[in-house]
């Protein structure tokens, strides 16, 4: 659990090493998440472009991991020198039942956090006198934009093919499975630039009923486990939010939907 990870102040690692170790762990998990998304939903037989997109994501994440490990070595540390959290893999488990949930939780929310935090993290590293690590973080953050864009595109395409309102599906999914990913701060400009509307994730723009439901679920989670810091801490409050997909029907509808988009 994240609460068991040493803070920067309590860690024996330098600020740069501590930051790079956390980032390396994120990139390692991101590789696994991209491959898991391809294999777990292979039974849907989605368009080849879907799987090709996530192959490219996995390749990007592996390159990012290599940069982090190399720089970690240069500042005198190794991956594994401190414990790491399981929050990203919790997201994988929480969204394992449905491809719409996976896209909403992982690329559109977890990876979007990289857009939110990248600039602030780079500034901290510069403040610590580590311009090299800051440049690496900036480059990674820039490349993560495409990953969020990929998730947003396929989420919209699948919801459109199923004749579902994408925003409603996103709000329901995040509210039920991962409400912690709906807490600011957000880099609204970066998110909007890759096609992720603010109305999806900013609860201040939601309907009153959606905000009330989110607050209710947050309260229930806190009562169930006041010390909860992530999805794995309260598994009883998780579950599939959407009805199962008819894979054959989705393939037909998605093909028609994408063809219609191409002709527009």
């Amino acid at each position: 659990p994240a609460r068991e990870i040493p803070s920067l102040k309590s860690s024996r690692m330098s600020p740069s090493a501590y930051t790079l170790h956390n980032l390396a762990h994120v990139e390692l998990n991101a590789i696994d998440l991209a491959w898991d998304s391809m294999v777990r939903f292979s039974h849907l037989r989605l368009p080849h472009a879907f799987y090709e997109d996530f192959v490219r994501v996995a390749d990007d994440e592996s390159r990012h991991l290599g940069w982090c490990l190399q720089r970690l070595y240069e500042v005198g540390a190794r991956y594994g020198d401190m414990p790491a959290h399981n929050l990203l893999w919790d997201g994988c488990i929480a969204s394992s039942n449905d491809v719409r949930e996976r896209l909403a939780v992982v690329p559109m929310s977890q990876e979007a956090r990289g857009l939110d935090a990248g600039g602030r993290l780079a500034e901290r590293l510069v403040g610590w006198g580590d311009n090299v690590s800051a440049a690496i973080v900036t480059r990674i953050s820039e490349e993560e934009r495409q990953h969020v864009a990929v998730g947003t595109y396929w989420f919209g395409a699948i919801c459109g093919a199923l004749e579902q309102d994408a925003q409603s599906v996103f709000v329901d999914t995040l509210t039920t499975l991962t409400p912690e990913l709906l807490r600011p701060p957000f880099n609204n400009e970066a998110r909007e630039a890759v096609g992720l509307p603010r109305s999806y994730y900013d609860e201040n723009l939601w309907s009153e009923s959606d905000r009330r439901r989110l607050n209710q679920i947050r309260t229930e989670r806190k009562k169930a486990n006041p010390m909860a810091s992530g999805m794995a801490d309260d598994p009883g409050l998780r579950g599939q939010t959407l009805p199962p997909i008819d894979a054959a029907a989705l393939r037909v509808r998605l093909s028609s939907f994408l063809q219609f988009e191409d002709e527009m």
Side-chain angles (χ1 to χ4, degrees), residues 10-194:
S10 63
S11 171
R12 296 181 179 179
M13 303 178 78
S14 69
S16 289
Y18 182 91
T19 300
L20 289 163
H21 192 283
N22 285 333
L23 186 55
H25 183 66
V26 167
E27 299 302 331
L28 178 61
N29 276 261
I31 297 169
D32 292 338
L33 283 166
W35 286 110
D36 183 271
S37 296
M38 285 181 279
V39 175
R40 190 177 298 276
F41 302 111
S42 60
H43 68 284
L44 295 176
R45 291 166 57 196
L46 297 170
H48 289 299
F50 174 89
Y51 303 103
E52 290 168 354
D53 278 344
F54 279 91
V55 167
R56 283 189 286 270
V57 169
D59 183 61
D60 287 347
E61 304 293 14
S62 65
R63 187 173 61 258
H64 298 168
L65 175 62
W67 293 343
C68 292
L69 295 178
Q70 175 63 32
R71 183 57 183 161
L72 197 57
Y73 174 80
E74 290 171 356
V75 298
R78 301 286 191 281
Y79 180 69
D81 283 352
M82 62 174 277
H85 63 73
N86 55 3
L87 291 180
L88 293 178
W89 200 249
D90 288 344
C92 174
I93 295 170
S95 62
S96 61
N97 291 318
D98 191 287
V99 67
R100 293 163 294 180
E101 294 174 352
R102 172 57 57 84
L103 294 170
V105 170
V106 177
M108 297 175 70
S109 298
Q110 288 185 337
E111 293 220 53
R113 283 301 194 194
L115 308 188
D116 302 333
R120 297 195 308 273
L121 198 57
E123 288 177 4
R124 284 184 200 152
L125 287 162
V126 170
W128 294 328
D130 190 351
N131 293 331
V132 174
S133 296
I136 291 172
V137 168
T138 299
R139 178 72 181 275
I140 289 174
S141 183
E142 290 172 352
E143 294 194 3
E144 294 291 345
R145 293 184 178 220
Q146 184 59 31
H147 303 172
V148 182
V150 163
T152 302
Y153 171 78
W154 284 108
F155 180 80
I158 291 171
C159 288
L162 295 173
E163 299 181 346
Q164 297 173 331
D165 180 71
Q167 178 171 320
S168 296
V169 173
F170 185 91
V171 169
D172 287 346
T173 297
L174 270 289
T175 297
T176 303
L177 297 183
T178 57
E180 65 280 359
L181 293 175
L182 293 168
R183 295 194 181 278
F186 304 117
N187 186 335
N188 297 315
E189 183 178 354
R191 287 176 174 232
E192 290 275 1
V194 297

